């Protein structure tokens, strides 16, 4: 907390200002203590008005004693607090530091009723049923997806999960994984996460609603479909719908074809995985929505940020990994659908920025409301009010090539060299403008679709050896078409469109 010109800066989710101690209306400040303990902790400053101006307290010691005794009498369990006296230019202040609690929920108790509060922005609000359930789970060190059910695992099958595991990892499936992944308890019962991965999933809220709208708003729908299935199938159905209702143009380069997709397939894949993993499954009437408009794709799921903050107010490169459903997240990690580092928001932006037709301002955007999380991907081939003709997109991508055309006359002929020249020892290849082969073109298409693709995955999809893929990649790199940034496992491929 900073003090500037006798003013504290500033009241926010972690601070609350009180001009004086309310002794008859203790609820006015005890709800803030409850909210801080139930979220990420915070401080109440007594002797500071709502504008942050320091006015001071007459008897801070008596106020401190009253605060301590009242918290012990009216909050259950009693949160951990620290009373800190502050002197500033003749004014006496009192800071009440409330530590984030481990025994949530922390209730305010009065007249036989118990109420828990949480922090939303700079306000302390009463918990709704979903928030209260989350606090109860947090206090018992459990998550909803890890809770055991009374359903016998031996009455259900995981064939879809097992086949997907083999396809994604090229490893053999073992039924022992069900327990190690947290889908089955040691006594043979399914967990909530297990119910979401069985073949015949019947969890009501395991659904996605997919809609392709006409134009830019929710008006008439071109197509609308609802899917209820296990999480593996929901991911597949969602991606299939998006691919069916989005487009990809292309432009002819001097020696290869360059795809110009509306969106990064891999970025949208990361987004849909993110919404399936981190959504709040305690919302019984909630589901994931996929809404496709002319100019954007929106993904919406129930459940805001776990720490109560607004994602639009955060730096996405500094958001820590906090998982509402760690069991579900771990299964998706085992399927190689996501990383453990929690870098999904950053990765979606980076993947979009790797596309050759990317424009500044078209980065994926994230927004949270009280009970929802939104991810918006913008159509890279859409102008202010209509689709940009592919010729104009191609001209923009090729603008540098047009400014600096390749001369037909060889630079070696134009500028002869002596006998000891390294150019004579290592002559320039004259097939630079020769069209790439079919396999090389497929590699280019794969890289545009998924800049994170590995050489092993390329070999698998092409049906050739890893050495064959490496040979093709070497040729593309030598010809100045393909480059790679970062490590082999976590870097990005990029198509070079400049000469």
């Amino acid at each position: 907390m900073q003090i500037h010109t006798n003013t504290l800066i500033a009241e926010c989710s972690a601070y609350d200002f009180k001009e004086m101690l309310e002794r008859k209306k203790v609820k006015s400040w005890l709800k803030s203590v409850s909210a801080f303990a139930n979220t990420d902790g915070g401080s109440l400053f007594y002797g500071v008005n709502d504008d942050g101006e320091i006015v001071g307290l007459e008897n801070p010691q008596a106020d401190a004693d009253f605060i301590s005794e009242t918290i012990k009498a009216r909050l259950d369990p009693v949160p951990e607090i620290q009373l800190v006296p502050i002197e500033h230019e003749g004014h006496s202040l009192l800071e009440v530091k409330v530590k984030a609690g481990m025994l949530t929920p922390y209730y305010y108790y009065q007249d036989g009723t118990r109420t828990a509060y949480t922090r939303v922005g700079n306000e302390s609000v009463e918990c709704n049923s979903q928030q209260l359930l989350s606090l109860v789970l947090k206090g018992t060190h459990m998550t909803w997806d890890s809770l055991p059910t009374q359903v016998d695992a031996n009455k259900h099958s995981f064939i879809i999960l097992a086949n997907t595991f083999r396809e994604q990892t090229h490893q053999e499936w073992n039924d022992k994984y069900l327990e190690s992944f947290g889908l089955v308890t040691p006594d043979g019962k399914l967990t909530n996460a297990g119910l979401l991965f069985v073949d015949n999933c019947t969890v009501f809220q395991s659904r996605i609603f997919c809609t392709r709208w006409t134009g830019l708003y929710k008006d008439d729908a071109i197509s609308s479909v609802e899917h209820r299935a296990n999480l593996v199938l929901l991911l597949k159905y969602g991606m299939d719908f998006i691919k069916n209702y989005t487009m990809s143009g292309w432009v002819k380069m001097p020696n290869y074809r360059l795809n110009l997709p509306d969106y990064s397939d891999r970025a949208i894949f990361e987004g849909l995985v993110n919404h399936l993993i981190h959504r709040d499954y305690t919302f019984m009437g909630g589901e994931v929505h996929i809404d496709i408009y002319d100019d954007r794709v929106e993904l919406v799921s129930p459940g805001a940020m776990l720490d109560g903050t607004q994602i639009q107010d955060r730096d996405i490169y500094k958001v820590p990994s906090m998982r509402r459903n760690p069991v579900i997240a771990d299964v998706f990690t085992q399927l190689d659908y996501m990383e453990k580092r929690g870098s999904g928001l950053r990765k979606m932006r980076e993947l979009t920025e790797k596309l050759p037709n990317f424009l500044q301002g078209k980065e994926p955007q994230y927004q949270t409301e009280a009970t929802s999380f939104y991810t918006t991907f913008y159509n890279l081939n859409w102008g202010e009010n209509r689709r940009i003709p592919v010729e104009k997109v191609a001209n923009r991508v090729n603008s540098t090539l047009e400014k600096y055309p390749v001369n037909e006359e060889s630079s070696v002929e134009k500028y002869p060299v002596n006998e000891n020249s390294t150019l004579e020892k290592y002559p320039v290849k004259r097939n630079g403008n020769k069209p790439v082969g079919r396999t090389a073109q497929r590699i280019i298409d794969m890289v545009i679709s998924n800049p994170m693709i590995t050489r092993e995955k390329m070999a698998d999809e092409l049906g050739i050896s890893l050495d064959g893929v490496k040979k093709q990649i070497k040729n593309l790199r030598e010809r100045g078409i393909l480059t790679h940034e970062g490590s082999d496992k976590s870097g990005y491929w990029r198509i070079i469109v400049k000469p």
Side-chain angles (χ1 to χ4, degrees):
M1 173 59 67
Q2 297 178 345
I3 301 178
H4 180 67
T5 62
N6 209 42
T7 301
L8 265 68
I9 309 173
E11 189 171 22
C12 59
S13 60
Y15 303 122
D16 211 350
F17 297 157
K18 303 294 180 183
E19 186 170 349
M20 58 177 290
L21 176 63
E22 291 279 0
R23 293 173 179 263
K24 295 184 178 180
K25 299 179 180 180
V26 295
K27 181 181 178 180
S28 64
W29 54 271
L30 281 178
K31 65 180 184 180
S32 293
V33 178
S34 167
F36 285 141
N38 283 327
T39 49
D40 296 323
S43 293
L44 288 86
F45 289 87
Y46 289 91
V48 183
N49 64 23
D50 291 340
D51 295 327
E53 183 181 355
I54 297 174
V55 296
L57 298 172
E58 292 184 3
N59 192 340
Q61 183 59 56
D63 289 341
D65 292 340
F66 183 83
I67 290 171
S68 179
E69 292 301 319
T70 305
I71 288 176
K72 292 177 182 177
R74 294 293 184 88
L75 289 183
D76 182 35
V78 179
E80 184 177 342
I81 66 169
Q82 182 181 3
L83 301 173
V84 182
I86 301 173
E87 293 291 332
H88 180 73
E89 297 184 357
H91 293 291
S92 296
L93 311 177
L94 183 62
E95 178 183 5
V96 181
K97 290 185 177 180
V98 184
K99 187 176 180 180
M102 300 298 293
L103 302 175
T104 57
Y106 290 83
Y107 292 98
Y108 165 68
Y109 179 81
Q110 184 180 24
D111 299 331
T113 63
R114 294 155 59 89
T115 308
Y117 293 85
T118 188
R119 198 72 174 169
V120 177
N122 63 351
E123 295 182 327
S124 300
V125 299
E126 185 176 341
C127 292
N128 58 35
S129 57
Q130 281 78 23
Q131 291 170 326
L132 192 59
L133 175 58
S134 296
L135 288 174
V136 171
L137 292 173
K138 177 183 175 182
T140 56
H141 308 291
M142 297 286 287
T143 58
W144 178 87
D145 61 343
S146 68
L147 292 176
T149 70
Q150 296 303 310
V151 180
D152 292 327
N154 57 17
K155 295 182 179 179
H156 294 270
S157 60
F158 291 86
I159 297 174
I160 296 172
L161 176 63
N163 290 339
T164 305
F165 179 86
R166 294 187 188 97
E167 178 183 344
Q168 288 292 116
T169 67
H170 301 287
Q171 298 178 23
E172 190 54 44
W173 171 262
N174 191 317
D175 286 341
K176 293 181 180 179
Y177 293 157
L178 295 174
E179 184 175 335
S180 63
F181 289 173
L183 304 179
V184 176
T185 65
D187 60 350
K189 302 294 184 181
L190 291 176
T191 61
N192 280 330
L195 284 175
L196 291 170
F197 282 99
V198 296
D199 294 334
N200 59 333
C201 175
T202 58
V203 178
F204 178 76
Q205 61 268 40
S206 184
R207 300 181 298 171
I208 58 172
F209 286 3
C210 309
T211 308
R212 174 58 169 104
W213 298 97
T214 302
L216 308 181
Y217 307 100
K218 290 183 177 180
D219 191 1
D220 294 329
I222 296 174
S223 177
S224 182
V225 63
E226 173 188 349
H227 294 287
R228 181 187 297 177
N230 66 42
L231 296 187
V232 176
L233 289 180
L234 287 186
L235 178 60
K236 178 183 182 303
Y237 295 152
M239 288 304 300
D240 287 346
F241 185 88
I242 293 170
K243 290 179 180 178
N244 286 339
Y245 288 97
T246 55
M247 301 175 65
S248 180
W250 61 274
V251 56
K252 186 72 173 67
M253 301 298 284
N255 45 25
Y256 66 95
R257 184 188 70 249
L258 181 65
N259 287 336
L260 302 173
D262 289 353
Y263 308 92
S264 166
D265 287 346
R266 182 67 194 191
I268 290 184
F269 179 88
E270 291 278 342
L272 187 52
V273 167
N274 196 62
H275 280 265
L276 291 174
I277 288 174
H278 297 298
R279 61 155 292 186
D280 191 340
Y281 284 93
T282 63
F283 280 84
M284 296 304 296
E287 59 278 321
V288 174
H289 284 255
I290 300 174
D291 294 302
I292 303 178
Y293 305 87
D294 286 352
D295 66 335
R296 67 196 186 277
V297 172
E298 288 185 354
L299 308 179
V300 188
S301 58
M305 293 285 285
L306 196 57
D307 59 4
T309 62
Q310 304 293 311
I311 188 62
Q312 57 267 31
D313 299 331
R314 303 284 297 273
D315 181 351
I316 64 167
Y317 293 91
K318 297 180 180 179
V319 176
S321 176
M322 300 179 66
R323 297 180 174 182
R324 178 179 278 111
N325 303 300
V327 178
I328 298 173
D330 184 60
V331 175
F332 273 77
T333 301
Q334 298 296 337
L335 295 176
D336 199 25
Y337 283 159
M338 63 172 290
E339 297 180 359
K340 292 184 178 180
R341 295 178 297 175
S343 57
L345 302 182
R346 169 184 58 80
K347 190 179 297 179
M348 283 179 242
R349 286 199 175 176
E350 291 179 351
L351 288 165
T352 300
E353 292 169 355
K354 299 298 178 184
L355 291 178
N357 53 331
F358 170 74
L359 282 173
Q360 292 295 328
K362 295 272 190 174
E363 303 88 353
Q365 297 296 322
Y366 315 105
Q367 182 179 353
T368 48
E369 294 182 352
T371 58
S372 301
F373 192 102
Y374 293 78
T375 301
T376 303
F377 298 92
Y378 293 101
N379 189 333
L380 302 182
N381 297 320
W382 187 266
E384 292 184 0
N385 55 12
R386 66 186 181 91
R387 188 172 184 84
I388 305 173
V390 68
E391 294 81 8
K392 288 189 176 182
V393 180
N395 288 338
R396 171 161 53 83
V397 173
N398 276 324
S399 60
T400 308
L401 293 175
E402 292 176 355
K403 290 180 181 179
Y404 307 101
V406 179
N407 292 328
E408 294 182 2
E409 184 181 7
S410 169
S411 60
V412 178
E413 295 174 356
K414 200 170 184 179
Y415 304 101
V417 295
N418 58 44
E419 295 180 356
N420 296 324
S421 168
T422 54
L423 288 177
E424 288 190 348
K425 293 181 181 179
Y426 306 99
V428 177
K429 294 181 179 180
R430 297 184 182 272
N431 64 345
N433 287 333
K434 180 181 178 181
V436 301
R438 184 177 300 176
T439 301
Q441 181 62 57
R442 289 186 63 188
I443 289 177
I444 292 172
D445 295 341
M446 288 180 185
V447 169
I448 292 292
S449 177
N450 179 14
M452 298 167 51
I453 192 169
T454 63
R455 294 174 176 85
E456 290 78 9
K457 188 68 174 177
M458 291 181 188
D460 183 54
E461 294 192 12
L462 291 169
I464 64 176
S465 67
L466 182 59
D467 287 339
V469 168
K470 291 180 179 179
K471 183 178 179 180
Q472 294 285 344
I473 289 174
K474 180 181 179 182
N475 180 262
L476 289 171
R477 298 180 82 161
E478 288 177 349
R479 297 180 65 173
I481 298 174
L482 185 64
T483 187
H484 191 268
E485 304 166 357
S487 65
D488 287 343
K489 296 298 183 182
S490 61
Y492 296 90
W493 295 100
R494 184 166 62 86
I495 300 298
I496 303 172
V497 295
K498 296 181 180 181

